[in-house]
Amino acid sequence: MDKSQEKYTDWETIQKRYPDSFVLLENPVFKPRPYLKEGILLYKHKSRKKVIEKEVQQKPHYSTILYTGGIRGDRANEFTFIL
């Protein structure tokens, strides 16, 4: 296996490992249509601001910041459930 490929992690694995987090991915690979397939995980945090700060510090050549899914803690109390 090519050593450069060892750092790549598929999107589904990232979502499972880091739920409810923002992730900074270097060299993201997209499938047809704008769906993320994989990328090199550089940083993860629950705060989008912290991830953006890390991106500015590291200055990756080609990167993206994505949310892994779920209800963010800062937005959880925005929902009202009526039974």
Side-chain angles (χ1 to χ4, degrees):
M1 180 177 194
D2 182 14
K3 287 284 187 191
S4 64
Q5 293 296 319
E6 289 182 348
K7 294 181 181 181
Y8 279 83
T9 306
D10 66 87
W11 178 239
E12 291 81 17
T13 301
I14 292 170
Q15 288 178 301
K16 287 177 187 173
R17 286 185 190 163
Y18 311 108
D20 308 324
S21 298
F22 290 93
V23 292
L24 172 60
L25 299 173
E26 184 176 30
N27 296 331
V29 177
F30 292 91
K31 299 188 240 182
R33 301 184 76 191
Y35 296 115
L36 181 67
K37 179 180 176 188
E38 62 187 0
I40 300 170
L41 180 69
L42 297 179
Y43 186 71
K44 63 97 182 163
H45 200 278
K46 299 282 183 180
S47 167
R48 180 183 335 179
K49 181 179 176 184
K50 295 284 186 184
V51 178
I52 292 170
E53 289 172 359
K54 186 60 80 171
E55 182 180 36
V56 169
Q57 288 173 357
Q58 292 188 357
K59 299 177 185 161
H61 179 69
Y62 179 58
S63 64
T64 189
I65 295 174
L66 293 172
Y67 186 65
T68 58
I71 297 175
R72 295 186 354 224
D74 62 342
R75 303 214 41 212
N77 53 352
E78 290 181 15
F79 297 97
T80 304
F81 297 98
I82 300 172
L83 300 175

